[in-house]
Amino acid sequence: MLAYKTALITDSTCDIPVALRQQYNIHTIPLYIAWGDELQRDGLDITTSALIQAIKARLMFPRTLPPHVEDVVRTIDDVRRAGAEEVLLITVAAMMSDTFAIGQQAIEQASLPVTLVDSRGNTMSLGWQVLAAARSRAAGGTLGDMVQAADAVRERLVTLLYVDSMEYLHRGGRIGGAVRWLGTILSLKPQLLVDHATGQVEGATRARSRDEALGKMLHTFVEQTAVHRPLRIAVTHADAFEPAADFASRIQHELHPVELIVSETSAVSAVHAGPGAIAISGYGEAE
């Protein structure tokens, strides 16, 4: 694995596939799943599939917690020992998690200078920003170039989420402007939008079935994205591989993106989105 002067670190809500993380030398700090007093590290001690099975069995509804300050400091120490001289840390939206605030605290104890960026997103909306920074670095870019690359992608990102139920977002307090739908949805399938200016989850449209919801979601994505430019699109899911794969096939057929990623979301994100959730996140390349 190639060592860089600027280490790139993110958190476990970032849904970049493992192969790409390894290719671009991206370091990941896990958030925590809390089952009562027991803590499990996202992606290390518990997988998304195991978490979904436990939720479906109603054994207990878990909480999610940000990394400890010590976790962030330890990761920075690790990359320093590997030869890094500075760090770019890109986190899940500050409006969704205290991870950004933990990063701010860790900077005071860090053994290297740290540039901290609030992605104002999660899953692959965070992932695309991290990949943009990583690809800038791989092309010889400086720390400033990496931050600029991530910022430029964030400005063009469109992220939409389908959930089977608002229950999980409501329990986790992650619903933002979609709160107005609580108590009125009944059997409706909501489509939600991540506002990358604020990091909030907002209500978009509703549908009577998953297929209808995904169709509306793709229509909204096309309306809000510069589809005449080369597209980079990701489909993420929580225990919904087959419908997510079918959705990705439709995207490939209709939009012909230059890059299409399909991945399972993190356990932490699955806690809030719930079983069956499917998201699309992507952008059109700059001219």
Side-chain angles (χ1 to χ4, degrees):
M1 185 180 291
L2 182 63
Y4 290 97
K5 170 186 173 182
T6 305
L8 180 56
I9 303 174
T10 188
D11 62 65
S12 63
T13 68
C14 178
D15 286 335
I16 297 173
V18 172
L20 284 174
R21 292 181 192 229
Q22 294 174 344
Q23 177 183 346
Y24 288 106
N25 198 5
I26 299 167
H27 302 268
T28 304
I29 301 171
L31 278 72
Y32 289 94
I33 308 288
W35 304 87
D37 294 330
E38 179 187 358
L39 293 181
Q40 293 180 313
R41 294 169 298 172
D42 185 14
L44 296 177
D45 302 323
I46 186 169
T47 64
T48 301
S49 58
L51 175 112
I52 293 292
Q53 289 176 9
I55 288 177
K56 284 182 174 180
R58 297 284 179 174
L59 299 177
M60 182 186 296
F61 192 83
R63 295 175 295 122
T64 61
L65 298 171
H68 303 311
V69 171
E70 294 78 9
D71 297 330
V72 181
V73 171
R74 187 182 309 113
T75 302
I76 294 170
D77 286 342
D78 289 343
V79 299
R80 176 184 56 80
R81 284 190 289 268
E85 299 176 16
E86 59 189 5
V87 170
L88 174 57
L89 172 58
I90 308 178
T91 74
V92 60
M95 292 296 293
M96 298 181 186
S97 168
D98 288 334
T99 301
F100 181 82
I102 293 296
Q104 290 177 311
Q105 296 176 44
I107 287 175
E108 300 176 3
Q109 305 175 32
S111 56
L112 291 175
V114 178
T115 298
L116 180 62
V117 173
D118 177 359
S119 72
R120 299 176 203 158
N122 63 345
T123 68
M124 274 306 294
S125 60
L126 166 58
W128 283 125
Q129 294 174 59
V130 173
L131 275 175
R135 287 166 173 165
S136 172
R137 181 181 63 177
T142 64
L143 171 61
D145 295 328
M146 294 168 67
V147 172
Q148 185 176 16
D151 289 346
V153 165
R154 187 186 319 114
E155 291 174 359
R156 300 194 300 275
L157 270 172
V158 176
T159 302
L160 297 147
L161 169 67
Y162 156 81
V163 294
D164 261 345
S165 169
M166 291 287 285
E167 172 189 1
Y168 301 96
L169 286 167
H170 177 48
R171 287 190 182 196
R174 300 298 195 273
I175 53 178
V179 68
R180 67 183 185 276
W181 286 355
L182 288 175
T184 66
I185 291 178
L186 300 177
S187 62
L188 295 179
K189 304 296 184 182
Q191 170 196 306
L192 307 172
L193 171 72
V194 177
D195 184 341
H196 293 294
T198 65
Q200 285 270 32
V201 178
E202 307 288 345
T205 64
R206 289 167 284 184
R208 291 288 178 184
S209 68
R210 179 176 62 198
D211 288 345
E212 181 186 354
L214 294 180
K216 287 185 174 183
M217 197 157 72
L218 184 56
H219 178 74
T220 302
F221 180 85
V222 169
E223 282 187 329
Q224 298 188 14
T225 308
V227 294
H228 62 286
R229 300 175 186 168
L231 294 170
R232 299 189 186 276
I233 300 174
V235 174
T236 53
H237 68 92
D239 194 40
F241 175 77
E242 289 188 8
D246 290 343
F247 187 45
S249 294
R250 178 178 176 182
I251 291 168
Q252 182 65 55
H253 176 73
E254 296 184 14
L255 301 181
H256 310 290
V258 296
E259 184 172 16
L260 179 60
I261 293 172
V262 181
S263 66
E264 186 174 56
T265 197
S266 68
V268 162
S269 295
V271 168
H272 299 292
I278 297 174
I280 179 173
S281 182
Y283 64 99
E285 292 280 14
E287 293 181 346

